[in-house]
Amino acid sequence: MRKTITIETGNPISIYGAGNRILEEFCSYYPALKVVARGNDVILEGGEDDIEGFERHFAVLVELSRRKEGLTAYDVENIFDGESSRDSFRIDGEAVIVHSTDGKAIRARNKTQQEMVKAYFENDLIFATGPAGTGKTYIAIALAVRALKNREIKRIILTRPAVEAGERLGFLPGDLKDKLDPYLQPLYDALGDMIPVRRLQEFMADGTIQIAPLAYMRGRTLDHACVILDEAQNTNAGQLKMFLTRMGCNAKFIVTGDTSQIDLPCKSDSGLLKGMELLSGIKGIHCIHFTSKDIVRHPLVTRIVKAFDGA
């Protein structure tokens, strides 16, 4: 399908931005569309749904350019995520947390994910445990991205413990962070689903988004941030305490893990269950437990998890 949108009034440069920067940011939410700007005409080629969505959001961008001098990347983000502001957010399973880079709404997909979203707004520290595929890390990152876009925090910090899961890190080149980067890839993937590539690169370059091994957290005070510790089952009690005591002012901490996949030499050394046991019941802390019924990946994943649990 092909369609041409004509900008009736105003200077198209005020909409496209210098070097078409704003238009490129906008188009990053519709990667399947071919978009060509020629003067006042924006020519679209692609699927009907994408074209309709582009046209609807583009009309908002045009109207915003008439009321505001100098559009920014944040204005583009707000067009796609504005309806999920904190004041209007409804914990009913229908509320949009954020939109993905292809314009799709990211929502809580089951009651446990819904509980996690609700707990985020009511507590400063959340523990979320459960098997692979339940979306606990993905929802955590979606909440962090939403908070960043809504200016509720200044930065996102994602971390994992440096534990070998049957593979060997020692032979890999570089420092600890370089060695651990392959293990951090799921975090990069989730961020890439929610933030356009160029914007994500800018955030990572200026430190707005940081991804680092857990060892790099020692000695820091993490304030005005949403901080996510993933794979927390592979921390010991001392590491978990070190991480949790990094919490600064206006910070949200989310700890996720799967106690059935502990990669420590001695599984009883895992600090996740001990930490939850010690801290449950404290005001401002909430523990959420996902089960195999909450798995949102391929249906076979549920059967695989049940088979291994029953072995």
Side-chain angles (χ1 to χ4, degrees), residues 13 15 22 94 104 108 122 136 160 199 221-222 241 287 290:
I13 299 301
I15 301 169
I22 298 302
E94 295 298 326
K104 295 181 180 178
E122 297 176 351
K136 53 190 182 296
R160 275 185 168 188
R199 191 68 175 149
T221 299
L222 307 176
K241 178 184 176 182
C287 299
F290 289 83

Side-chain angles (χ1 to χ4, degrees), residues 17 26 34 47 53 58-60 76 80 96 115 148 157 176 232 240 256 302:
F26 187 91
K34 180 181 178 181
F58 191 73
V60 178
V76 175
F80 289 92
V96 177
E115 179 190 350
L148 182 66
I157 299 172
L176 179 59
L240 184 61
T256 66
T302 302

